[in-house]
Amino acid sequence: MLQESQVFTEAGLTSAVAAIFAAHDVPRADARQVAECLVLADLRGVSSHGVSRVPIYLDRLRRGLVKARPAMVLDRPVSVAARLDADDALGFVAATRAMAEAVDMARDHGMCAVRRSTHFGMAASYLLQATDAGMAAFVFTNASRAMPIWGGRAPFLGTSPFAFAAPAGDRPIVLDMALSVVARGKVRRAAARNEPIPLGWALDADGNPTTDAQKGYEGVVLPLAGAKGSGLSLMMEIMAGVMSGAAFGGAVGNQYSDFDAPQDVGHVFLAFRPDLFLETGQYEARIEELIRRAKDQPRAAGVDRIMMPGEIEARATQIRRRDGIRLDGEDLRLLAQEAARAGVTLKL
């Protein structure tokens, strides 16, 4: 009997999600990679990019719009960069491969672009992959149209994340933020739960501000900081779309509504040594000093502690690894439905 709410361990949820993807002919190692990225998002409190998305990824696999066993091809058009043709692979698989290539080259170069990919989930997954290898990194991607160019009202730009990380002891600095006021996935989740959204998040299809999540999802989300967020999102479109050879300018397929062709998402992964311009051992001391100075700044009223980017998510991960990951409502029901369809038991 399915309960309204259930708590899963990281290991149990990862194992179950991996088994569900493996049941759809995804190689076990790739299925495990997809599961780890999705569960990591839930651990970090980014549930809009967690296992709630399992059903849509499986739907696109079943439709043949995403390939379970792609024939990815890596080439190096110049000595300082690589390009991965992902052959419509699961974005998690393509992105992990591309960041691994960027990290491997980071001793000398360190950039890998991807075309013909799909939605890759949470950008922080690949930032942490780089910092685990001792590298700093940028991750860029484009996405399906959801946000107007500044001054417009029709969807044109994606809510592409600006994502950067730098090693900093056992808790790297991780900045992973949508270039919209809020990630569109949060509007989608609010609509699914029939919850209102704050004014200023989105416009309806007629270009009017709205607090109705469904109308906002059918309309457009607004860029962060107005023209500045729009400009940065256009930068992502140029780098991850135009330069990678992927779709661009509103042509990336929407995984939730475009089922006549693959998405053709583009990504760019840039990894580099954080001590490239410093003497040995200087970087670690300097980054620790920066963090100390930042945290010692006078605090605004009502603020107990100044935190670095990614610190809240790191704390959330510690808590959920200890107490478990809670799934409820439609997220739990749909995951249980996919598990039953694949013959997989959801492990608590």
Side-chain angles (χ1 to χ4, degrees):
M1 181 71 177
L2 185 65
Q3 300 176 13
E4 292 185 1
S5 176
Q6 292 187 9
V7 177
F8 297 85
T9 64
E10 177 187 4
L13 189 57
T14 301
S15 177
V17 172
I20 292 170
F21 277 93
H24 287 75
D25 198 37
V26 177
R28 290 191 177 277
D30 290 350
R32 181 78 186 184
Q33 184 61 57
V34 172
E36 288 177 351
C37 288
L38 288 168
V39 173
L40 179 60
D42 281 309
L43 283 170
R44 290 174 64 83
V46 190
S47 54
S48 61
H49 288 65
V51 299
S52 66
R53 294 208 182 207
V54 167
I56 190 59
Y57 296 132
L58 296 177
D59 184 29
R60 296 188 73 86
L61 274 168
R62 289 190 286 259
R63 290 172 185 263
L65 298 172
V66 177
K67 294 179 182 177
R69 296 177 180 269
M72 295 193 291
V73 177
L74 184 79
D75 71 293
R76 296 192 175 180
V78 294
S79 63
V80 298
R83 179 178 59 194
L84 180 67
D85 185 328
D87 192 31
D88 303 318
L90 283 156
F92 307 92
V93 177
T96 301
R97 168 78 183 278
M99 181 56 89
E101 291 292 336
V103 167
D104 185 57
M105 291 190 296
R107 282 79 184 171
D108 302 307
H109 315 304
M111 184 174 184
C112 187
V114 184
R115 62 182 176 182
R116 290 211 297 161
S117 186
T118 58
H119 190 270
F120 72 2
M122 179 181 68
S125 297
Y126 317 108
L127 294 174
L128 292 170
Q129 181 183 347
T131 58
D132 284 347
M135 300 293 171
F138 285 98
V139 172
F140 302 139
T141 186
N142 65 357
S144 59
R145 57 192 182 277
M147 190 169 71
I149 193 77
W150 185 245
R153 70 173 188 180
F156 177 69
L157 298 169
T159 58
S160 308
F162 185 91
F164 167 79
D170 60 357
R171 185 168 288 173
I173 293 175
V174 180
L175 176 65
D176 177 7
M177 63 179 193
L179 291 176
S180 51
V181 174
V182 67
R184 192 165 185 248
K186 292 187 177 181
V187 178
R188 177 182 61 81
R189 284 175 65 80
R193 297 180 176 193
N194 199 29
E195 297 172 349
I197 57 174
L199 198 63
W201 277 19
L203 304 178
D204 64 20
D206 296 320
N208 300 309
T210 183
T211 59
D212 185 313
Q214 185 59 41
K215 289 182 179 180
Y217 187 66
E218 293 169 355
V220 292
V221 291
L222 292 170
L224 177 73
K228 295 178 181 179
S230 176
L232 284 171
S233 187
L234 187 63
M235 183 190 83
M236 302 301 168
E237 200 69 44
I238 295 168
M239 293 192 67
V242 174
M243 292 182 180
S244 73
F248 64 92
V252 174
N254 186 316
Q255 67 175 345
Y256 287 98
S257 60
D258 296 333
F259 298 111
D260 56 343
Q263 285 187 278
D264 195 11
V265 180
H267 320 303
V268 171
F269 302 86
L270 174 61
F272 55 97
R273 286 170 40 198
D275 61 351
L276 199 58
F277 308 110
L278 300 170
E279 299 294 330
T280 302
Q282 281 190 328
Y283 171 76
E284 290 79 3
R286 290 170 66 85
I287 194 69
E288 288 176 8
E289 178 64 13
L290 172 63
I291 293 170
R292 186 193 65 76
R293 291 184 192 178
K295 285 180 170 289
D296 285 347
Q297 290 298 297
R299 297 189 296 275
V303 175
D304 294 327
R305 174 181 298 179
I306 292 173
M307 293 193 180
M308 294 294 97
E311 190 172 349
I312 292 174
E313 292 83 356
R315 290 174 180 271
T317 299
Q318 288 181 329
I319 292 170
R320 287 179 174 86
R321 281 188 168 144
R322 182 192 68 206
D323 300 340
I325 300 167
R326 183 175 296 279
L327 298 180
D328 55 24
E330 191 76 349
D331 292 344
L332 179 59
R333 186 186 71 79
L334 291 175
L335 183 62
Q337 181 177 301
E338 291 291 357
R341 184 171 186 172
V344 173
T345 300
L346 285 181
K347 300 175 183 178
L348 300 180

